[in-house]
């Protein structure tokens, strides 16, 4: 798409927003219902596209993408009217007589830029929140997942006029062009490197932005953990989508007393969940492209492989791999893995947990497997991270009742449910002053009597 075409879409969206058509709650709900029906009717086409791009099975495509999106839409249909309503606040005596309230208002024209690893979910989920909040939107899906981008363009084209919701496909040229334009809000999901560029471009127009990034999310396994269950849940969370999940456990930090037992159980669970030959498992996904396949393969040290390690360049598949006896000097610990490779590091004392987490960039997620409630309380209080789970992995993001987002290097801002609605809304604070009385103490000329009254109220 050319720069002129992109600018034309933005101008049309601004004009459409100015008509006020997106403001009535009934219009927002109608739009959400239309989108829900379209996704339901095209479920197979969506999961087929995900299979084409990432090798996801239809089950995984629905469970982790289309189904979660429909759940978010259903939640917003049910709650948007309440979220959009004015909320009263107590009026201080200095403003007597008046009514105070907060009015949620849409920002206007928003840009949503999404990645390739969950291309349907991470495009449509924030769009749902933006629509519920009353905005117009341009969505820019990743060029690395073309089949899903095509079905997104088809669905949104059928549901919405381009002046309301539009899709811009393409690659870096389109991304660059979009970021040169003025938007009222930018929502970006992707890498830290691109996130920094998005924030730089947003700063030129003082545009507020949400950044959903990533990082090396630790998975802490304490000596009191139920190891067989921990291994089962870690294997599921780590190798889901072939490890290409922003909140996947990036590495295990295991108490040295239970490390050998954990490795044994991880091996057992890999066989149970993926079979003797995972590369032939039709329900096990693939790496998105050859470039990333080679990158992930390059992180595997054959001398430290405890399970897996094999790969198939023709299918871009890598076995669920466990690496043992890893240190921070190993190549695999130098970057976010974003693939099916799970390094294991060990610790002796609790202080080593805090030292490890604090000495590295703040992660998007942290997982703790323990039966020690006191330890749980300390870790959750003393470690900085976006969100996480105790005795599970990944599932914290699959709820409409809590926000999902990062902190520090792993991102800023959050979305999902009410938090998502608030992300795409500006809260106007309003004082509605009554006219039947007017207290004179704030007006000149000032005197001792007025000063005494002011001091009585302001203390």
């Amino acid at each position: 798409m050319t720069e002129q075409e992109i600018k034309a879409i933005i101008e049309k969206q601004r004009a459409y927003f100015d008509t006020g058509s997106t403001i009535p709650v009934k219009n927002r709900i109608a739009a959400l219902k239309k989108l829900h029906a379209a996704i339901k009717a095209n479920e197979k086409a969506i999961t087929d596209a995900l299979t084409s791009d990432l090798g996801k099975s239809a089950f995984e495509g629905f469970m982790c993408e289309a189904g979660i999106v429909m759940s978010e839409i259903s939640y917003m249909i049910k709650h948007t009217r309440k979220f959009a309503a004015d909320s009263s606040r107590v009026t201080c005596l200095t403003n007597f007589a008046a009514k105070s309230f907060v009015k949620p208002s849409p920002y206007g024209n928003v840009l949503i830029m999404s990645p390739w690893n969950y291309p349907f979910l991470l495009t449509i989920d924030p769009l749902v929140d933006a629509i519920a909040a009353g905005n117009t939107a341009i969505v820019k899906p990743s060029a690395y997942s073309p089949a899903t981008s095509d079905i997104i363009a088809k669905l949104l084209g059928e549901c919405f006029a381009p002046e309301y919701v539009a899709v811009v496909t393409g690659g870096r040229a389109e991304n660059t062009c979009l970021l040169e334009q003025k938007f009222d809000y930018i929502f970006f999901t992707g890498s830290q490197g691109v996130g920094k560029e998005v924030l730089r471009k947003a700063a030129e127009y003082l545009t507020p932005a949400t950044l959903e990034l990533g990082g090396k999310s630790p998975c802490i396994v304490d000596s009191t953990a139920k190891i067989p269950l921990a291994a089962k849940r870690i294997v599921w969370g780590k190798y889901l989508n072939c490890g290409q999940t922003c909140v996947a456990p990036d590495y295990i930090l295991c108490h040295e007393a239970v490390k050998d037992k954990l490795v044994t159980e991880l091996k057992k669970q890999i066989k149970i969940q993926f079979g003797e030959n995972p590369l032939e498992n039709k329900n096990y996904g693939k790496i998105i492209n050859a470039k990333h396949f080679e990158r992930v393969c390059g992180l595997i040290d054959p001398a430290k492989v405890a399970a897996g390690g094999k790969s198939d360049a023709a299918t871009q598949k890598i076995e669920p791999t466990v690496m043992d006896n890893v240190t921070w000097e190993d190549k695999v610990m130098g970057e976010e893995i974003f693939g099916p490779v799970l390094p294991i590091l060990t610790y002796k004392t609790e202080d080593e947990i805090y030292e490890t987490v604090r000495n590295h960039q703040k992660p998007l997620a942290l997982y703790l497997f323990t039966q020690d409630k006191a330890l749980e309380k300390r870790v959750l209080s003393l470690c900085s991270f976006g969100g996480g789970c105790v005795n599970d992995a990944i599932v914290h993001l699959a709820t409409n009742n809590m926000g999902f987002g990062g902190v520090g290097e792993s991102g800023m801002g959050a979305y999902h449910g009410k938090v998502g609605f608030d992300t795409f809304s500006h809260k106007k604070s309003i004082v509605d002053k009554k006219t039947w009385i007017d207290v004179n103490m704030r007006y000149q000329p000032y005197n001792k009597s007025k000063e005494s009254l002011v001091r009585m109220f302001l203390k």
Side-chain angles (χ1 to χ4, degrees), residues 97-114:
K99 180 179 76 170
S100 300
F101 61 97
V102 173
K103 186 177 192 63
S105 300
Y107 278 103
N109 182 214
V110 306
L111 171 64
I112 297 169
M113 305 180 77
S114 58

Side-chain angles (χ1 to χ4, degrees), residues 70 187 292 323 331 365 373 455:
M70 288 198 289
F187 189 101
H292 285 280
M323 289 176 59
K331 188 176 180 181
K373 289 297 180 182
R455 290 184 177 278

